[in-house]
Amino acid sequence: MTTDASPNPRRIALFLLLMVLVGLNLRPALSSLAPLLLRIKADTGLTPLAIGALTTLPVLCLGIFAPLAPWLAKRTGPENALALALGGLILGLFLRGMPAVALLFVGTLLVGAAIGIAGTLLPALVKRELPGGADLMTGVYTMALCLGGALGAGLSIPLANLLGGWRFSLVSWGLLAGIALLAWITLMPRSPRQATATPTGGSMRQLLGQPLAWQVMLLMGTQSSLAYIVFGWLPTLLQARGYSESEAGWLMGASVMVQLISALGAPWLARFSRDQRPALLLVLGCVGAGLWLLLQAGEAWRWPGVVLLGLGQGGSFSLALTLIVLRTANSRLAGKLSGLAQGGGYTLAAMGPLGVGVLLQLEVSMTTMTSVLLLIVAVAAGFALLAGRNLRLDVDASGRLTTR
């Protein structure tokens, strides 16, 4: 693919369509698991700690495998690398539905690896295809992620009831991934790889020496930790408060659906200023308020809590991804920062679901659980104050990476 001054409108429209279709597949494999955890536990006999590991494993794999995306893209081309990731996602979804409990974990591992690679490739592709509007297009991509997450959470129980079990419910999402893979392979516009002139300089070692890169990564990690705690444990926490299995799943699904609004709107909000700190603090405040209302307030406050949590999480994730393109000068640096931010960030984020599993094993009170979650929100806000500043990673005339 090449980027020029007069991009082809048809090419842009096709790329956006494919980007949305791929994005729809990068969350159902995660969000569809949470509403089914009690059924999985009852059917397999797994302990709460093992169930916690099951929710942590895909997030950990997001972090471990995300840094491989730039390496894989360099050797096979980003289009082929993304196709391989979608193929791995389909295989992982299939394995999760097999009778052996070990394959449930293996499939979950493969799902996390595939999503980690695909999710890292897309921001760099957006930066390259649409450099002038990369931040807004990242919002569209995040909206697709949120819609996929909402569908996974909301349809998980109905699919299990319709298809005759939780295994079939998990496997069924492979159909959507298959459609995305077929569309990507047949419709993706391609250009000779050598036609793209990539600037030199800005190695990963230099990137690791830039505080701004670490700040973006730590923001990604802390806000993602909250997101994957919600994906992995919110239905269980709501059921502990007395909600039914189905209602808990739909409350989480509704919250993820609300994320569509802020996922698309947050990048527009961020554009009003070159400093994204006010926007980041606003959405993180919504996350904190939503969690408190859902876990501490009365039942009458559950829907305001759902809305606030959804607005906050959709906006914080969209802005965190947007910072990857706003804080870099070109697509090559965006790809490297994407690998670092999502790789290190998701590795850090994996500690969130595991920590909640440990707390549930220890049978802590809901007040203690809520306090821990609000502490994570506060830490994320601290990193937002650093990563949200008007700075950018660029390569100087001598080929060295600098922050300007």
Side-chain angles (χ1 to χ4, degrees), residues 28-54:
L30 305 175
S31 64
S32 63
L33 187 64
L36 298 169
L37 287 179
L38 291 182
R39 295 191 185 194
I40 294 172
K41 180 182 176 183
D43 192 29
T44 62
L46 292 173
T47 66
L49 195 57
I51 291 291
L54 189 63

Short mmCIF file of all heavy atoms in Angstrom, two decimals, residues 28-54:
data_model
loop_
_atom_site.label_atom_id
_atom_site.label_comp_id
_atom_site.label_asym_id
_atom_site.label_seq_id
_atom_site.Cartn_x
_atom_site.Cartn_y
_atom_site.Cartn_z
N PRO A 28 -15.28 -10.43 20.49
CA PRO A 28 -16.22 -11.48 20.90
C PRO A 28 -15.56 -12.70 21.53
O PRO A 28 -16.11 -13.30 22.46
CB PRO A 28 -16.91 -11.86 19.58
CG PRO A 28 -16.83 -10.63 18.75
CD PRO A 28 -15.51 -10.01 19.10
N ALA A 29 -14.35 -13.06 21.07
CA ALA A 29 -13.65 -14.21 21.64
C ALA A 29 -13.32 -13.98 23.12
O ALA A 29 -13.19 -14.94 23.89
CB ALA A 29 -12.36 -14.49 20.87
N LEU A 30 -13.21 -12.71 23.53
CA LEU A 30 -12.93 -12.37 24.92
C LEU A 30 -14.22 -12.15 25.70
O LEU A 30 -14.41 -12.71 26.78
CB LEU A 30 -12.05 -11.12 24.99
CG LEU A 30 -10.74 -11.17 24.20
CD1 LEU A 30 -10.04 -9.81 24.26
CD2 LEU A 30 -9.84 -12.26 24.73
N SER A 31 -15.12 -11.33 25.18
CA SER A 31 -16.33 -10.96 25.93
C SER A 31 -17.35 -12.09 25.99
O SER A 31 -18.18 -12.12 26.91
CB SER A 31 -16.98 -9.71 25.31
OG SER A 31 -17.41 -9.97 23.99
N SER A 32 -17.33 -13.03 25.05
CA SER A 32 -18.31 -14.12 25.07
C SER A 32 -18.02 -15.14 26.16
O SER A 32 -18.89 -15.94 26.53
CB SER A 32 -18.33 -14.83 23.70
OG SER A 32 -17.07 -15.43 23.43
N LEU A 33 -16.81 -15.13 26.70
CA LEU A 33 -16.44 -16.11 27.71
C LEU A 33 -17.02 -15.77 29.09
O LEU A 33 -17.47 -16.67 29.82
CB LEU A 33 -14.91 -16.19 27.80
CG LEU A 33 -14.31 -17.27 28.70
CD1 LEU A 33 -14.65 -18.66 28.17
CD2 LEU A 33 -12.80 -17.10 28.80
N ALA A 34 -17.01 -14.48 29.44
CA ALA A 34 -17.38 -14.08 30.80
C ALA A 34 -18.78 -14.52 31.23
O ALA A 34 -18.94 -15.06 32.33
CB ALA A 34 -17.22 -12.56 30.95
N PRO A 35 -19.83 -14.30 30.41
CA PRO A 35 -21.16 -14.72 30.86
C PRO A 35 -21.30 -16.23 31.05
O PRO A 35 -22.23 -16.69 31.73
CB PRO A 35 -22.08 -14.22 29.73
CG PRO A 35 -21.31 -13.14 29.06
CD PRO A 35 -19.89 -13.58 29.13
N LEU A 36 -20.39 -17.00 30.46
CA LEU A 36 -20.48 -18.46 30.51
C LEU A 36 -19.63 -19.07 31.62
O LEU A 36 -19.59 -20.30 31.76
CB LEU A 36 -20.03 -19.06 29.16
CG LEU A 36 -20.87 -18.67 27.94
CD1 LEU A 36 -20.16 -19.11 26.67
CD2 LEU A 36 -22.26 -19.29 28.02
N LEU A 37 -18.94 -18.25 32.40
CA LEU A 37 -17.97 -18.78 33.36
C LEU A 37 -18.60 -19.72 34.39
O LEU A 37 -18.01 -20.75 34.74
CB LEU A 37 -17.25 -17.63 34.08
CG LEU A 37 -16.23 -16.86 33.24
CD1 LEU A 37 -15.61 -15.73 34.06
CD2 LEU A 37 -15.14 -17.79 32.71
N LEU A 38 -19.79 -19.39 34.89
CA LEU A 38 -20.43 -20.26 35.88
C LEU A 38 -20.79 -21.61 35.26
O LEU A 38 -20.67 -22.66 35.91
CB LEU A 38 -21.66 -19.57 36.47
CG LEU A 38 -21.37 -18.36 37.37
CD1 LEU A 38 -22.68 -17.80 37.92
CD2 LEU A 38 -20.43 -18.73 38.51
N ARG A 39 -21.23 -21.61 34.01
CA ARG A 39 -21.54 -22.87 33.33
C ARG A 39 -20.26 -23.68 33.09
O ARG A 39 -20.26 -24.90 33.25
CB ARG A 39 -22.23 -22.60 31.99
CG ARG A 39 -23.59 -21.96 32.10
CD ARG A 39 -24.33 -21.97 30.78
NE ARG A 39 -25.59 -21.25 30.86
CZ ARG A 39 -26.55 -21.31 29.95
NH1 ARG A 39 -26.38 -22.06 28.87
NH2 ARG A 39 -27.67 -20.63 30.09
N ILE A 40 -19.20 -22.98 32.69
CA ILE A 40 -17.93 -23.67 32.47
C ILE A 40 -17.42 -24.27 33.76
O ILE A 40 -16.95 -25.42 33.81
CB ILE A 40 -16.90 -22.69 31.87
CG1 ILE A 40 -17.33 -22.26 30.46
CG2 ILE A 40 -15.51 -23.33 31.81
CD1 ILE A 40 -16.49 -21.16 29.86
N LYS A 41 -17.52 -23.50 34.85
CA LYS A 41 -17.07 -23.99 36.15
C LYS A 41 -17.87 -25.22 36.59
O LYS A 41 -17.31 -26.22 37.07
CB LYS A 41 -17.20 -22.87 37.19
CG LYS A 41 -16.76 -23.27 38.59
CD LYS A 41 -16.98 -22.12 39.57
CE LYS A 41 -16.64 -22.55 40.99
NZ LYS A 41 -16.91 -21.46 41.97
N ALA A 42 -19.19 -25.16 36.41
CA ALA A 42 -20.04 -26.28 36.81
C ALA A 42 -19.77 -27.51 35.96
O ALA A 42 -19.81 -28.65 36.46
CB ALA A 42 -21.51 -25.87 36.72
N ASP A 43 -19.49 -27.32 34.68
CA ASP A 43 -19.31 -28.44 33.76
C ASP A 43 -17.92 -29.07 33.87
O ASP A 43 -17.76 -30.28 33.70
CB ASP A 43 -19.55 -27.95 32.32
CG ASP A 43 -19.67 -29.10 31.34
OD1 ASP A 43 -20.12 -30.19 31.75
OD2 ASP A 43 -19.31 -28.92 30.16
N THR A 44 -16.91 -28.24 34.14
CA THR A 44 -15.53 -28.73 34.14
C THR A 44 -14.96 -28.96 35.54
O THR A 44 -13.95 -29.64 35.69
CB THR A 44 -14.61 -27.75 33.40
OG1 THR A 44 -14.62 -26.48 34.08
CG2 THR A 44 -15.07 -27.55 31.96
N GLY A 45 -15.58 -28.33 36.55
CA GLY A 45 -15.06 -28.46 37.90
C GLY A 45 -13.84 -27.60 38.18
O GLY A 45 -13.15 -27.79 39.19
N LEU A 46 -13.56 -26.62 37.33
CA LEU A 46 -12.42 -25.74 37.53
C LEU A 46 -12.63 -24.87 38.77
O LEU A 46 -13.74 -24.44 39.07
CB LEU A 46 -12.22 -24.84 36.31
CG LEU A 46 -11.77 -25.52 35.01
CD1 LEU A 46 -11.77 -24.53 33.85
CD2 LEU A 46 -10.39 -26.15 35.17
N THR A 47 -11.54 -24.61 39.50
CA THR A 47 -11.60 -23.76 40.69
C THR A 47 -11.70 -22.30 40.27
O THR A 47 -11.40 -21.95 39.11
CB THR A 47 -10.33 -23.93 41.53
OG1 THR A 47 -9.20 -23.44 40.78
CG2 THR A 47 -10.11 -25.39 41.89
N PRO A 48 -12.11 -21.40 41.19
CA PRO A 48 -12.13 -19.97 40.85
C PRO A 48 -10.77 -19.46 40.38
O PRO A 48 -10.70 -18.61 39.49
CB PRO A 48 -12.55 -19.32 42.18
CG PRO A 48 -13.35 -20.35 42.87
CD PRO A 48 -12.70 -21.66 42.52
N LEU A 49 -9.69 -19.99 40.95
CA LEU A 49 -8.36 -19.56 40.53
C LEU A 49 -8.08 -20.01 39.10
O LEU A 49 -7.49 -19.27 38.31
CB LEU A 49 -7.30 -20.11 41.49
CG LEU A 49 -5.91 -19.46 41.39
CD1 LEU A 49 -6.00 -17.96 41.62
CD2 LEU A 49 -4.96 -20.11 42.40
N ALA A 50 -8.49 -21.23 38.75
CA ALA A 50 -8.31 -21.72 37.38
C ALA A 50 -9.17 -20.93 36.40
O ALA A 50 -8.74 -20.62 35.28
CB ALA A 50 -8.65 -23.20 37.31
N ILE A 51 -10.38 -20.59 36.83
CA ILE A 51 -11.23 -19.75 35.98
C ILE A 51 -10.59 -18.38 35.81
O ILE A 51 -10.62 -17.79 34.71
CB ILE A 51 -12.63 -19.61 36.61
CG1 ILE A 51 -13.38 -20.94 36.56
CG2 ILE A 51 -13.44 -18.53 35.89
CD1 ILE A 51 -13.79 -21.40 35.18
N GLY A 52 -9.97 -17.87 36.88
CA GLY A 52 -9.25 -16.61 36.77
C GLY A 52 -8.11 -16.69 35.78
O GLY A 52 -7.87 -15.76 35.00
N ALA A 53 -7.41 -17.83 35.79
CA ALA A 53 -6.34 -18.03 34.81
C ALA A 53 -6.89 -18.07 33.40
O ALA A 53 -6.27 -17.57 32.45
CB ALA A 53 -5.59 -19.32 35.13
N LEU A 54 -8.09 -18.64 33.24
CA LEU A 54 -8.71 -18.72 31.92
C LEU A 54 -9.04 -17.33 31.39
O LEU A 54 -8.92 -17.07 30.18
CB LEU A 54 -9.98 -19.57 32.00
CG LEU A 54 -10.67 -19.94 30.69
CD1 LEU A 54 -9.76 -20.79 29.82
CD2 LEU A 54 -11.98 -20.67 30.96
#
